[in-house]
Amino acid sequence: MTTTHPIILHHFKESPFSEKVRVIFGLKNIEWTSVLISRIMPRPDLMPLTGGYRRTPVMQIGADIYCDTQCIIRELERRFPEPTLFPDDEKGIASATAMWTDRSFFQNTVNLVFGLLADKVPQDFIADREKLRGAKFDVAAMTAAIPQMRDQFRAHVQWIEDQLRDGREWLGGNKAGLYDVNAYMNIWYVRAHLPNLDEMLAEFGRTRAWETRMRAVGHGRSSEISTSAALDIGARATPLTAELSDPHDPNGRKPGDRVEVVPDDYGKVKVSGEIVALSSQHIAIRRHDPRAGEVVVHFPRAGFHVLSA
Ligand SMILES: N[C@@H](CCC(=O)N[C@@H](CS)C(=O)NCC(=O)O)C(=O)O
């Protein structure tokens, strides 16, 4: 499918969740536009587009803004169905792996990375991530927990290794898919930050070979624009999301209702707007911003709360 607006990814290089999306650009050979954002707040040109959602990455297509990799991936699969991220026709379980890779596995790798980096973590980064978590970013506690984190990391990697045990190249079988993208994020993250990943993976030969295959996927074709140019694109565009109601919504929500949407784990900034479209896996809300104009912001449902405004 062609789109009149570029596929813009707001991201930063060190971001593992952004790496998921960059790898999907590679798998699907998508042409995309890169907007490099600051690793820490403030992000003055991005907040008018998201309405305050502050996690990374964010995808922008004109005046439609996609928050969270679950939502971004769903939209990319819809727009670029070939090659599919579900080559084994296991869409449900492949999507659900995010609840493993993005939560318990990721919390493990974050604690491992920052525990081992310890005094190299800049103070402004710590202060920013304390705001994000609403809790102390306790590098000393992470350092003390390194032995436990190594055990956890090993157990998670063993699951990858077990999946590859029959000699398959990819976690789902003969073709790369969402299982691979989700799990790889954590290995990529440790590889990017810690010099001793090879040591940690020494017993996992199949995982090491799979990591090499994943790295070779690349990031598709990209060009770069500034944060302000992306905001201009959003301000000039009109959102293209069609109204969609959900007759099975358990709370009777419908297009036109005013709501607030907020992550249930961290970065709990409420984004308010009027429902445009909703389903069991997706909610899109319309907002107006003095700089961005009219935008529609999209969120996943799993891991997000929808509150009446
Ligand atoms: N569930 C989110 C998690 C995203 C996330 O935690 N991203 C990290 C960076 S990799 C983040 O937002 N860090 C704080 C920030 O960038 O403001 C997703 O799938 O996109």
Side-chain angles (χ1 to χ4, degrees):
M1 177 177 165
T2 53
T3 166
T4 49
H5 296 298
I7 309 284
I8 298 175
L9 189 72
H10 298 257
H11 65 133
F12 54 87
K13 291 206 168 107
E14 303 85 349
S15 157
F17 284 90
S18 304
E19 182 64 9
K20 274 170 117 175
V21 182
R22 293 183 297 240
V23 168
I24 291 173
F25 290 146
L27 284 172
K28 290 181 177 286
N29 192 22
I30 292 172
E31 193 172 335
W32 58 286
T33 302
S34 164
V35 172
L36 288 172
I37 58 171
S38 156
R39 235 181 131 183
I40 59 175
M41 295 292 273
R43 296 176 184 135
D45 291 333
L46 180 56
M47 293 306 107
L49 293 168
T50 66
Y53 177 82
R54 65 142 299 176
R55 305 196 304 193
T56 309
V58 169
M59 182 170 78
Q60 174 190 353
I61 304 179
D64 280 286
I65 311 300
Y66 298 87
C67 300
D68 193 284
T69 54
Q70 276 188 83
C71 181
I72 295 170
I73 289 168
R74 183 175 181 274
E75 186 61 19
L76 288 175
E77 181 71 9
R78 193 179 75 78
R79 286 173 186 258
F80 303 95
E82 295 299 331
T84 177
L85 293 170
F86 307 105
D88 315 297
D89 210 14
E90 295 194 329
K91 187 172 178 195
I93 195 70
S95 303
T97 56
M99 294 293 137
W100 160 48
T101 57
D102 299 13
R103 292 188 175 226
S104 77
F105 196 178
F106 180 61
Q107 286 314 317
N108 164 232
T109 52
V110 167
N111 289 339
L112 186 63
V113 165
F114 287 106
L116 287 165
L117 291 182
D119 51 358
K120 296 194 194 70
V121 187
Q123 201 48 51
D124 58 351
F125 182 87
I126 292 177
D128 180 77
R129 293 315 194 247
E130 286 188 341
K131 278 198 201 116
L132 174 81
R133 292 174 174 219
K136 195 164 158 51
F137 192 89
D138 194 339
V139 174
M142 291 183 209
T143 305
I146 286 170
Q148 279 65 41
M149 291 307 111
R150 282 193 206 283
D151 288 344
Q152 295 306 307
F153 184 73
R154 182 172 183 230
H156 287 292
V157 176
Q158 183 71 60
W159 282 326
I160 298 175
E161 187 77 7
D162 286 349
Q163 191 68 12
L164 298 167
R165 196 181 38 206
D166 62 4
R168 63 180 66 189
E169 295 213 327
W170 308 101
L171 297 181
N174 298 328
K175 290 193 176 134
L178 189 55
Y179 292 120
D180 302 281
V181 171
N182 281 346
Y184 176 64
M185 168 185 92
N186 288 290
I187 304 295
W188 178 89
Y189 184 48
V190 177
R191 170 74 65 200
H193 288 90
L194 299 179
N196 61 339
L197 179 64
D198 284 333
E199 211 179 290
M200 287 190 264
L201 295 184
E203 64 184 305
F204 300 120
R206 294 190 192 282
T207 302
R208 280 187 278 118
W210 166 82
E211 183 203 1
T212 305
R213 283 192 287 279
M214 286 303 296
R215 198 176 316 118
V217 167
H219 291 159
R221 295 159 287 142
S222 68
S223 53
E224 197 169 323
I225 62 169
S226 65
T227 56
S228 63
L231 178 56
D232 284 347
I233 290 174
R236 280 199 307 272
T238 307
L240 296 177
T241 305
E243 189 175 300
L244 178 72
S245 31
D246 176 1
H248 303 293
D249 184 88
N251 298 299
R253 293 198 187 89
K254 52 187 187 315
D257 288 357
R258 289 207 60 83
V259 292
E260 292 175 325
V261 183
V262 60
D264 72 359
D265 45 2
Y266 55 91
K268 295 183 184 177
V269 180
K270 291 177 183 157
V271 180
S272 21
E274 188 183 294
I275 297 177
V276 179
L278 78 168
S279 71
S280 57
Q281 296 293 352
H282 171 232
I283 184 161
I285 61 174
R286 188 185 316 279
R287 344 178 358 263
H288 297 269
D289 177 273
R291 290 177 68 205
E294 182 187 343
V295 290
V296 168
V297 190
H298 301 245
F299 297 95
R301 299 301 293 271
F304 281 74
H305 291 164
V306 178
L307 315 166
S308 298

